[in-house]
Amino acid sequence: MMRRGYKSKSWNGSKDCSVPLLVISVGLMLMLVLVVVFVVFQNDDGKPNFAHEIDDGQKTSLAHEIPQQKWNSFDSVVKLKPTRETRNGTDVIWQVPEAPKGVLFLAHGCNGRAVNFWDRSPECPDCVGLPEERLLVLNALARGFAVITISSAESCWTYHGKEVLVVRDIIKWFLGKEKLEKLPLVALGASSGGYFVSLLPTIMKFNSIVIMIAEGMFEKIDIDEHYPPTLFVHMPKDLHRQQKIDEFVEILKEKGIAADVVECMEFPLSPNILADRVPGLDQSLSQRLFEFFRAEGFIDCNGYMKKDGRVTKWRKALQEKKTFSVDKHLIPHIQEELNLAFAYHEMTSVHSDKMFKWFESHMS
Ligand SMILES: *[C@@H]1O[C@H](CO)[C@@H](O)[C@H](O)[C@H]1NC(C)=O
């Protein structure tokens, strides 16, 4: 369980980045002391022990939240080459890696679609390849999970009708067709997809699930000790959801079901972040956008988004400025990364390592 002192940190409104004189003078004195200590306590290799430790500690706490994987980090490991079919009236897109060890169903959120998980290609001309979605797929394939994505019938998933049965039938058909029935089956759903994924184990067996930026339907469904291990990945800025999740984790644990939480925190934008995460967005555009966000006051002096990406009127401001333009295909991709940096409600692949460790530690 990773819980940091989040509430004490001010996140609504810009951070105060001005440095008072007192801090500067105290800082200078500290530096002087450090230099003296450095000279006195030097190691054989010339590196002071303590400074090394302090440095590492600070790096891991922030590095934890700043996306590390680049859009092309998996180029030498795995390529996206999905297969697509219409099934039970909806769009189904999947890929099976060599020697699969498990099967992952990925459920999008409201207004999402299966095409968002896969890159545009001659085989899938209307695929979108949103940065977080595609990285989730690449992480899964690289770790040996077959991935199946399905579009909801309406803009959000429905929880009371036959849609759960449709998805169950599609997954069963896929497992049979690809001869994957014997492998562990896991699911990850974000937002509306998270509620939906919390329902699926009531009608078919899953080895474990990840519910992202959603608390699940645990007030509505009957669960027993056979319900799969459940990991909540959420953004604690969304306080209401955080409270619900805390409640549901306790309910699950009382019933003997493994449950845990991974929290996703805000991170500062940097001039390269968009080029690093979005296929087809080059360094120069990434830097211009960063400068533009700063000049327009959308980010504070430390690079943190002041408001959610959806509320920030960056597209309108960009149109009015007319100094440079952005290919309209890239807008949803940029939007997603801005939402992610603000960390209130967005699909995220940042903690893929923890999510897949959850799956991998509950395979049998
Ligand atoms: C999905 O399609 C299959 C094959 O056509 C059909 O047998 C099944 O009943 C359908 N499922 C639902 C829930 O409509």
Side-chain angles (χ1 to χ4, degrees):
M1 174 93 60
M2 286 131 281
R3 179 133 297 171
R4 269 155 284 166
Y6 192 75
K7 279 159 216 152
S8 61
K9 196 171 152 200
S10 86
W11 55 266
N12 45 356
S14 69
K15 289 171 186 63
D16 183 9
C17 309
S18 60
V19 186
L21 211 62
L22 181 69
V23 176
I24 295 177
S25 34
V26 170
L28 282 174
M29 274 167 64
L30 259 173
M31 274 167 67
L32 194 70
V33 172
L34 279 175
V35 168
V36 172
V37 174
F38 178 86
V39 172
V40 175
F41 287 93
Q42 257 193 343
N43 280 347
D44 293 339
D45 61 357
K47 272 190 210 148
N49 244 340
F50 69 94
H52 191 67
E53 272 164 33
I54 292 168
D55 191 28
D56 267 352
Q58 281 170 350
K59 252 192 243 149
T60 42
S61 65
L62 190 60
H64 203 64
E65 303 302 337
I66 295 179
Q68 301 293 312
Q69 286 174 343
K70 298 191 174 159
W71 68 270
N72 56 358
S73 285
F74 290 91
D75 271 8
S76 60
V77 186
V78 61
K79 295 253 183 309
L80 293 179
K81 268 185 91 178
T83 309
R84 186 176 189 180
E85 203 162 303
T86 299
R87 197 71 200 166
N88 293 74
T90 194
D91 195 18
V92 186
I93 310 178
W94 70 88
Q95 185 167 338
V96 181
E98 259 176 61
K101 67 175 185 192
V103 179
L104 169 65
F105 165 57
L106 282 172
H108 60 72
C110 290
N111 304 315
R113 288 172 300 146
V115 285
N116 289 354
F117 289 93
W118 309 90
D119 286 345
R120 189 147 52 120
S121 68
E123 295 78 38
C124 190
D126 62 331
C127 276
V128 178
L130 287 177
E132 300 309 308
E133 280 83 342
R134 63 186 293 287
L135 275 174
L136 278 173
V137 172
L138 286 164
N139 274 283
L141 294 170
R143 286 173 178 260
F145 286 89
V147 177
I148 174 168
T149 61
I150 302 172
S151 288
S152 59
E154 293 165 31
S155 74
C156 300
W157 297 93
T158 53
Y159 315 121
H160 308 293
K162 71 165 195 171
E163 195 160 29
V164 279
L165 302 178
V166 168
V167 167
R168 179 198 61 188
D169 288 352
I170 293 172
I171 293 174
K172 282 194 169 158
W173 163 79
F174 165 70
L175 297 176
K177 177 186 167 67
E178 299 283 347
K179 305 205 168 20
L180 305 168
E181 301 102 320
K182 295 208 169 67
L183 295 183
L185 176 63
V186 300
L188 183 162
S191 199
S192 168
Y195 297 105
F196 192 73
V197 159
S198 75
L199 286 178
L200 286 178
T202 61
I203 56 159
M204 78 189 287
K205 184 187 181 299
F206 281 83
N207 289 69
S208 65
I209 57 173
V210 170
I211 300 179
M212 187 182 280
I213 53 170
E215 67 274 22
M217 310 270 289
F218 298 104
E219 263 155 2
K220 307 252 163 60
I221 53 177
D222 274 331
I223 50 170
D224 60 19
E225 71 274 18
H226 302 300
Y227 193 84
T230 300
L231 180 67
F232 295 90
V233 175
H234 82 115
M235 304 186 163
K237 253 188 205 175
D238 188 344
L239 274 179
H240 176 71
R241 276 216 176 78
Q242 169 164 40
Q243 284 158 8
K244 282 270 172 216
I245 289 170
D246 286 347
E247 230 177 84
F248 289 167
V249 165
E250 286 317 306
I251 292 175
L252 289 167
K253 283 183 173 169
E254 273 165 28
K255 304 218 175 197
I257 302 153
D260 210 342
V261 176
V262 171
E263 296 187 334
C264 306
M265 317 304 263
E266 64 183 349
F267 60 84
L269 295 181
S270 64
N272 289 337
I273 186 94
L274 291 171
D276 285 349
R277 300 291 276 185
V278 181
L281 198 158
D282 66 25
Q283 294 258 289
S284 112
L285 180 57
S286 183
Q287 283 163 12
R288 291 181 94 167
L289 280 164
F290 179 79
E291 278 315 317
F292 163 77
F293 294 145
R294 190 147 65 182
E296 294 290 316
F298 296 145
I299 54 179
D300 70 15
C301 56
N302 291 320
Y304 287 93
M305 291 288 293
K306 288 184 186 169
K307 291 186 195 146
D308 190 65
R310 297 172 187 86
V311 185
T312 305
K313 303 245 182 298
W314 64 277
R315 275 174 284 179
K316 193 159 167 282
L318 195 64
Q319 270 165 13
E320 282 163 7
K321 276 270 152 1
K322 292 195 174 82
T323 47
F324 65 105
S325 64
V326 176
D327 181 341
K328 72 176 184 349
H329 285 299
L330 294 174
I331 299 287
H333 303 62
I334 298 167
Q335 182 74 61
E336 178 166 76
E337 293 306 291
L338 297 184
N339 298 345
L340 182 65
F342 186 71
Y344 183 79
H345 193 76
E346 189 51 83
M347 177 79 81
T348 176
S349 68
V350 173
H351 293 285
S352 286
D353 205 43
K354 286 174 191 149
M355 297 189 268
F356 284 98
K357 278 189 180 135
W358 184 260
F359 291 142
E360 285 159 357
S361 58
H362 300 102
M363 294 290 251
S364 50

